Amino acid sequence: MTNIVRSDADVALDEVTERCKIAADHYRTVARLTQRPELLSLFNALAQTHQSWVEQLEAQVRRQGNLPSAPDADREALEHLAVRIRAALGDERTSLLHESQRVEKALIDQAQAALAEELPPDARRLVKEICGESTRIRQLLITE
């Protein structure tokens, strides 16, 4: 049975899930845009990592009696268009890495906000793991 009223913790967990979906989609998109084999490999791996998090988070959301929501398709389409334009107008590598850092930062911020809520222990462990790994990914993208 789906909860009609969601707690702040439920909403926060759902927002982390949405950010992971956005990130996974972002990495699939930038993998299609790049001509550089090293970036293609990196972006495909990151897409898989974020998709794995989506699946784990959605399972947690469902265990709490809720249904995961979907990202705003119009907003995502505009973001992808902006990424493509910046990559076409500037240095592809720099543009794609910078945009990826921005995506990770948004995920980190959302995860930290969720950790301020009273999450169930399993959800808290998962969000902490995502926050830490996303921070590591962001650092990797900065040094790439």
Side-chain angles (χ1 to χ4, degrees):
M1 180 172 188
T2 303
N3 290 333
I4 295 173
V5 178
R6 295 181 351 165
S7 69
D8 290 343
D10 293 337
V11 171
L13 188 60
D14 193 53
E15 288 174 351
V16 173
T17 306
E18 185 176 334
R19 277 281 147 206
C20 284
K21 288 177 185 178
I22 290 168
D25 191 45
H26 164 79
Y27 288 117
R28 284 189 290 269
T29 298
V30 296
R32 288 190 302 268
L33 291 176
T34 189
Q35 300 298 315
R36 299 169 181 261
E38 73 280 3
L39 290 182
L40 176 65
S41 176
L42 174 65
F43 292 149
N44 281 331
L46 292 175
Q48 289 176 337
T49 295
H50 287 77
Q51 187 59 45
S52 173
W53 292 341
V54 168
E55 292 163 8
Q56 293 174 62
L57 287 163
E58 283 184 340
Q60 182 66 42
V61 167
R62 285 186 181 95
R63 278 194 295 277
Q64 291 175 218
N66 295 304
L67 294 175
S69 50
D72 181 327
D74 291 335
R75 185 184 73 204
E76 277 196 84
L78 287 174
E79 287 178 6
H80 291 296
L81 179 61
V83 169
R84 287 183 174 146
I85 290 170
R86 283 192 288 275
L89 294 177
D91 174 38
E92 170 195 291
R93 184 177 191 285
T94 301
S95 295
L96 296 179
L97 288 171
H98 178 74
E99 203 56 37
S100 298
Q101 291 169 25
R102 186 191 62 74
V103 167
E104 291 299 331
K105 175 75 168 99
L107 175 54
I108 293 164
D109 291 347
Q110 196 64 59
Q112 289 173 337
L115 290 170
E117 299 297 332
E118 291 294 322
L119 298 173
D122 289 346
R124 177 168 293 285
R125 276 190 295 279
L126 179 56
V127 172
K128 272 186 171 179
E129 176 187 322
I130 290 168
C131 189
E133 188 63 16
S134 191
T135 299
R136 188 193 67 73
I137 290 168
R138 188 162 186 261
Q139 285 303 116
L140 172 71
L141 292 167
I142 290 169
T143 61
E144 263 307 299

